[in-house]
C-alpha cells in the first residue's frame, strides 16, 4: 500500500501546533494566572525581577504553590524549571508541591546563631510550639542580624529583640505590622543639617574627580564587607572600564555576629546614600542596585520611602536610577558575584573568576560593588581629609573600625573604635567588661568564618592582615565573646552547621565537605585526621570564600583548644 508523501513544512507546522496546544510542564490554571497578573499589575515582567515577583506572591498567599509558579513562568516568559529552581534556592520562599499541605499562616523564626544560642535560643525553640499551637509554625533560622539583641526572633516580618517566650506570644497575638525605625535622620533633616552639600560640590566642579579619588586613596579606607579591597583603588579600576558602568551595593550582612550595617542604616540612611551618589559620580555610574537582606523589613520600608523623597528632589542633575532589590534568605549572596546573580533574578551562586565583577559584573557590564559601611564613610573622609581617617588607630594600625560585638559582654552593640585595638581593650573600654559571673575564655574576631582564639591571645591588634598568621581574619569585624561557661568546640559546631545550611551546593568540596565535617564534629571524639583532610580539600578546591573559610573555626579548636578534645 502506498502512503502519500507529506511535505516536511506541513509536518513542522503540525508539530508546532501540538506544542502550542500542549506545552511541556504543568498546565497553567486560569485562576492562578489571574492571581499573578493581579499581583504584578503593570510592573515589568523582565527576567531580573523574578525574585521580586516571587516575593509578591509569597507575601500575599504565605507560600508559593505549584500553580502560581507555573503561572508566573508563563507571565514572565520563563521556563517553569527556571522559576522553580530559583524559588527553591532561597530559604524565605515556601514552595508547596502538588499534594502537599501549605505551611501554617504565620511563621516564627528563632535565630540559632551562636550569640542567640548562648542566650537561650534553644529553650525558645523547645517551648514555643506548644505555646503557639498549630496555626503558627516555629522554625530555627540562621543569623538574622540582631546579635546584640540575643536571643532574637522574628514573628512574620516583625523582630522580637531579647526574645522571651512571653514576648513572642504577645507579638503573635498582636499581629503587628513592622514599621520603619523611629528617630532616624530623614531626608529633610539631613538636608537641613548640610547633607548633600558635598555631592553638590562634586557635581558643580568645586571638587574634581582626581582630588576625590586621591583623598579616598590617602585615607586607606578598605572595603568593610569583609574582603578589605582598597576603596579608592577600586573606584579607579572601574572608572577605567568602558561604559555603561553599573553599581551594586551589598546590605546582605549575613555573617553570624554582624549587624553594623543595620544599625547605621537605621540611624542615618542619607549619609550612606550621599556616599553612594558621590562614588557613582566619581566612577561614572549609570544605574545603582541596592541589595538589602530580607530580614531587614523595617529598613526596607524606610529606605523605599527615603528613596522616593530623593527622586522627587534629586540632589544632583542626572542622578543615576536607583533600584532597591530584596534578598530572600541566603548567606551566600553576601559574596559579590552571588549577589549579582541574585540581582539578575537567578540563584545566588558565585561565579568563577576571572573575569572580575569590576570588568564583567551586573548584566555583563563593569560594576562597582561596595558594602554599605564603606560608602557610609565617604562623606566624612572627603570633608575631613584622608589624614583625619588615618590619624586614628592603635598598635601601629590606621583608621577606624565598626565592631559588631555580641556574646558574654555587658554592653553588646556596634562599637566604633581605633583599628588595631585588642580584644581585651575592646571589652574593657567599649563593652563594660564581661557579664557578671562570666570570665573571658575565647573570642571570634571575624564572625563565623574568622576563626576562634583563646583569651590568652588577647593582645593581637584587630585589623586587616593582623590575624592571618594565627589562622584567623577580621572580615566584617563581627566579634563574638565566649566565657568560661561556653566551649570553643560547641561554637565551632554551631558555625559548621551554619555553613552546611548555607552552602549553595554548586561545588562538591563545600557542599559535601561542610556536611561531612558537621557530622564528624557532632561526635564526642573527633576524627582529627579525616577533618584535616576535609579542611585541606575545602580550602584548596571550593569556588568561593564560604567553603574556603568554613574550616577556620574547626581548625582553630584543634590548634588552640586541644584540651576540649581530649
Amino acid at each position: 500500500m502506498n502512503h502519500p508523501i507529506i511535505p516536511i513544512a506541513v509536518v513542522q507546522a503540525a508539530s508546532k501546533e501540538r506544542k502550542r496546544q500542549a506545552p511541556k510542564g504543568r498546565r497553567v490554571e486560569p485562576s492562578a494566572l489571574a492571581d499573578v497578573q493581579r499581583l504584578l499589575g503593570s510592573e515589568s515582567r523582565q527576567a531580573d525581577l523574578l525574585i521580586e515577583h516571587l516575593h509578591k506572591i509569597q507575601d500575599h498567599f504565605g507560600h508559593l504553590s505549584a500553580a502560581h509558579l507555573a503561572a508566573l513562568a508563563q507571565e514572565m516568559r520563563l521556563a517553569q524549571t527556571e522559576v522553580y529552581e530559583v524559588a527553591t534556592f532561597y530559604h524565605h520562599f515556601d514552595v508547596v508541591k502538588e499534594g502537599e499541605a501549605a505551611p501554617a499562616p504565620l511563621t516564627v523564626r528563632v535565630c540559632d546563631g551562636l550569640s542567640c544560642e548562648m542566650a537561650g535560643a534553644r529553650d525558645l525553640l523547645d517551648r514555643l510550639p506548644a505555646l503557639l499551637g498549630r496555626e503558627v509554625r516555629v522554625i530555627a533560622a540562621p543569623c538574622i542580624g540582631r546579635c546584640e539583641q540575643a536571643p532574637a526572633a522574628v514573628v512574620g516580618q516583625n523582630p522580637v529583640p531579647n526574645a522571651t517566650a512571653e514576648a513572642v506570644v504577645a507579638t503573635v497575638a498582636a499581629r503587628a505590622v513592622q514599621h520603619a525605625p523611629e528617630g532616624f535622620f530623614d531626608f529633610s533633616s539631613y538636608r537641613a543639617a548640610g547633607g548633600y552639600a558635598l555631592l553638590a560640590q562634586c557635581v558643580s566642579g568645586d571638587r574634581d574627580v582626581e582630588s576625590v579619588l586621591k583623598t579616598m586613596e590617602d585615607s586607606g579606607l578598605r572595603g568593610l564587607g569583609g574582603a578589605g579591597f582598597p576603596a579608592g583603588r577600586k573606584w579607579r579600576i572601574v572608572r577605567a572600564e568602558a561604559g555603561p558602568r553599573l553599581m551594586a551595593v551589598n546590605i546582605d550582612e549575613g555573617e553570624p555576629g554582624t549587624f553594623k550595617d543595620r544599625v547605621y542604616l537605621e540611624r542615618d540612611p542619607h549619609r550612606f546614600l550621599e556616599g553612594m551618589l558621590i562614588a557613582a559620580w566619581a566612577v561614572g555610574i549609570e544605574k545603582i542596585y541596592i541589595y538589602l537582606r530580607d530580614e531587614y523589613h523595617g529598613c526596607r520600608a524606610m529606605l523605599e520611602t527615603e528613596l522616593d523623597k530623593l527622586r522627587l528632589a534629586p540632589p544632583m542633575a542626572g542622578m543615576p536610577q536607583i533600584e532597591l532589590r530584596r534578598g530572600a534568605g541566603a548567606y551566600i549572596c553576601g559574596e559579590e558575584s552571588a549577589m549579582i546573580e541574585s540581582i539578575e533574578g537567578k540563584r545566588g551562586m558565585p561565579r568563577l573568576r576571572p573575569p572580575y565583577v569590576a570588568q564583567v559584573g551586573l548584566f555583563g557590564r563593569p560594576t562597582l560593588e561596595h558594602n554599605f559601611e564603606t560608602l557610609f564613610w565617604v562623606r566624612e573622609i572627603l570633608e575631613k581629609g584622608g589624614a583625619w581617617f588615618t590619624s586614628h588607630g592603635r598598635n601601629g594600625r590606621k583608621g577606624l573600625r565598626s565592631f559588631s560585638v555580641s556574646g558574654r559582654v555587658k554592653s553588646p552593640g556596634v562599637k566604633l573604635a581605633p583599628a588595631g585595638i585588642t580584644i581585651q581593650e575592646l571589652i574593657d573600654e567599649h563593652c563594660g567588661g564581661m557579664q557578671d559571673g562570666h570570665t573571658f575564655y575565647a573570642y571570634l574576631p571575624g564572625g563565623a568564618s574568622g576563626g576562634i582564639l583563646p583569651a590568652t591571645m588577647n593582645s593581637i591588634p584587630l585589623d586587616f592582615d593582623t590575624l592571618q598568621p594565627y589562622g584567623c581574619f577580621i572580615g566584617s569585624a563581627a566579634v563574638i565573646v565566649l566565657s568560661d561557661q561556653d566551649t570553643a568546640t560547641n561554637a565551632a559546631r554551631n558555625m559548621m552547621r551554619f555553613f552546611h545550611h548555607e552552602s549553595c551546593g554548586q561545588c562538591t568540596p563545600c557542599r559535601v565537605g561542610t556536611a561531612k565535617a558537621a557530622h564528624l564534629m557532632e561526635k564526642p571524639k573527633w576524627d582529627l585526621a579525616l577533618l584535616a583532610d576535609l579542611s585541606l580539600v575545602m580550602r584548596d578546591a571550593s569556588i568561593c570564600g564560604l567553603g574556603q573559610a568554613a574550616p577556620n573555626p574547626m581548625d582553630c579548636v584543634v590548634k588552640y583548644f586541644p584540651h576540649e578534645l581530649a
Side-chain angles (χ1 to χ4, degrees):
M1 181 178 179
N2 294 327
H3 295 281
I5 298 175
I6 304 174
I8 186 64
V10 175
V11 174
Q12 290 174 338
S15 176
K16 289 181 181 178
E17 183 62 27
R18 284 195 299 273
K19 288 180 180 179
R20 282 195 293 267
Q21 292 175 353
K24 292 182 178 179
R26 180 188 177 92
R27 288 182 179 274
V28 175
E29 298 175 10
S31 60
L33 183 60
D35 288 338
V36 169
Q37 291 172 337
R38 183 178 67 256
L39 287 172
L40 270 55
S42 60
E43 294 192 32
S44 171
R45 271 59 168 171
Q46 63 198 56
D48 59 284
L49 291 174
L50 173 58
I51 294 171
E52 298 294 311
H53 295 337
L54 287 168
H55 273 302
K56 290 181 177 67
I57 300 171
Q58 171 87 23
D59 289 347
H60 185 82
F61 292 102
H63 62 277
L64 300 172
S65 69
H68 284 132
L69 291 178
L72 181 62
Q74 177 170 308
E75 188 68 11
M76 297 186 70
R77 298 181 180 275
L78 297 171
Q80 290 186 22
T81 53
E82 186 175 354
V83 173
Y84 182 82
E85 71 177 5
V86 171
T88 53
F89 181 85
Y90 295 93
H91 303 315
H92 290 185
F93 292 139
D94 292 313
V95 177
V96 177
K97 299 176 182 178
E98 194 165 5
E100 290 183 345
L106 182 65
T107 296
V108 173
R109 289 182 165 87
V110 178
C111 177
D112 65 354
L114 179 57
S115 299
C116 288
E117 182 181 82
M118 291 191 298
R122 179 50 52 189
D123 180 62
L124 277 178
L125 285 165
D126 291 341
R127 294 179 60 198
L128 285 175
L131 293 172
L132 296 174
R134 294 183 179 179
E135 291 301 303
V136 179
R137 178 178 59 162
V138 179
I139 60 175
C143 184
I144 60 176
R146 296 183 179 274
C147 316
E148 86 281 26
Q149 302 168 359
V154 180
V155 176
Q157 295 184 350
N158 301 282
V160 183
N162 305 115
T164 62
E166 294 73 21
V168 172
V169 171
T171 306
V172 169
R175 290 292 201 277
V177 176
Q178 187 186 56
H179 298 288
E182 296 181 356
F184 67 90
F185 224 37
D186 67 4
F187 180 66
S188 58
S189 301
Y190 184 77
R191 293 208 76 163
Y196 293 109
L198 180 62
L199 175 62
Q201 293 173 16
C202 294
V203 175
S204 68
D206 291 344
R207 289 176 183 257
D208 61 84
V209 171
E210 181 55 35
S211 69
V212 167
L213 292 175
K214 188 174 187 309
T215 300
M216 292 298 297
E217 290 171 333
D218 290 346
S219 73
L221 179 68
R222 295 172 65 169
L224 298 173
F229 193 86
R233 191 192 310 172
K234 183 182 287 190
W235 291 16
R236 283 197 189 276
I237 290 171
V238 180
R239 180 179 170 81
E241 295 290 327
R245 307 175 199 92
L246 304 175
M247 186 174 183
V249 181
N250 190 338
I251 321 181
D252 192 58
E253 52 175 0
E255 183 78 15
T258 307
F259 48 89
K260 60 183 177 63
D261 293 351
R262 172 186 58 79
V263 170
Y264 285 143
L265 179 58
E266 288 176 340
R267 296 174 183 173
D268 200 356
H270 287 277
R271 183 171 295 271
F272 146 67
L273 292 172
E274 183 170 11
M276 179 185 77
L277 290 173
I278 290 171
W281 163 81
V283 177
I285 299 296
E286 294 195 9
K287 189 172 182 178
I288 302 169
Y289 294 82
I290 301 174
Y291 190 85
L292 180 65
R293 72 179 308 199
D294 194 33
E295 289 84 351
Y296 294 169
H297 299 283
C299 288
R300 187 174 65 254
M302 175 269 286
L303 200 50
E304 287 173 342
T305 299
E306 296 306 306
L307 285 173
D308 285 342
K309 294 176 183 177
L310 200 65
R311 296 182 186 107
L312 289 172
M316 63 182 291
M319 186 175 77
Q321 183 181 349
I322 303 170
E323 285 198 25
L324 180 60
R325 291 295 177 88
R326 180 178 173 184
Y331 165 72
I332 191 63
C333 290
E335 196 275 341
E336 61 177 8
S337 66
M339 177 188 66
I340 284 173
E341 289 286 298
S342 189
I343 292 173
E344 292 181 356
K346 305 170 187 174
R347 294 176 294 170
M349 289 190 166
R351 297 175 178 177
L352 292 170
R353 288 170 288 189
Y356 296 94
V357 298
Q359 304 162 307
V360 182
L362 265 169
F363 309 111
R365 301 309 311 162
T367 301
L368 178 66
E369 190 276 340
H370 265 313
N371 167 259
F372 166 92
E373 195 201 349
T374 311
L375 298 170
F376 188 84
W377 283 106
V378 167
R379 174 187 163 182
E380 197 158 5
I381 287 173
L382 292 179
E383 287 178 338
K384 297 180 178 179
W388 164 79
F389 193 73
T390 60
S391 69
H392 299 86
R394 288 188 189 176
N395 300 308
R397 310 303 298 179
K398 294 181 179 181
L400 289 165
R401 294 288 292 179
S402 299
F403 294 92
S404 302
V405 186
S406 62
R408 304 296 192 181
V409 294
K410 282 185 178 177
S411 176
V414 176
K415 312 297 179 180
L416 183 60
I421 194 172
T422 67
I423 183 63
Q424 195 65 60
E425 293 168 336
L426 188 64
I427 293 171
D428 294 342
E429 298 175 23
H430 294 268
C431 302
M434 297 292 292
Q435 292 175 1
D436 292 339
H438 291 262
T439 300
F440 181 31
Y441 175 68
Y443 65 107
L444 286 76
S449 52
I452 309 174
L453 292 172
T456 54
M457 299 175 68
N458 63 350
S459 60
I460 302 170
L462 300 178
D463 197 15
F464 294 113
D465 310 321
T466 60
L467 292 156
Q468 280 85 335
Y470 308 98
C472 299
F473 59 83
I474 194 168
S476 59
V479 177
I480 305 176
V481 180
L482 310 184
S483 79
D484 54 344
Q485 298 185 24
D486 310 303
T487 68
T489 305
N490 282 337
R493 288 181 178 123
N494 181 287
M495 297 297 105
M496 192 58 76
R497 288 194 297 268
F498 170 80
F499 289 128
H500 170 45
H501 183 265
E502 294 298 319
S503 174
C504 75
Q506 180 178 190
C507 64
T508 302
C510 177
R511 181 183 67 249
V512 177
T514 54
K516 183 68 173 177
H519 174 71
L520 291 171
M521 291 167 68
E522 292 297 334
K523 296 181 179 296
K525 186 173 179 60
W526 288 10
D527 185 335
L528 298 182
L530 184 52
L531 286 172
D533 285 345
L534 280 171
S535 174
L536 181 63
V537 172
M538 291 167 68
R539 292 180 187 282
D540 288 348
S542 294
I543 289 174
C544 81
L546 191 157
Q548 294 163 9
N552 283 345
M554 172 184 74
D555 289 347
C556 283
V557 169
V558 175
K559 184 175 182 180
Y560 298 117
F561 303 89
H563 57 280
E564 292 189 14
L565 302 175

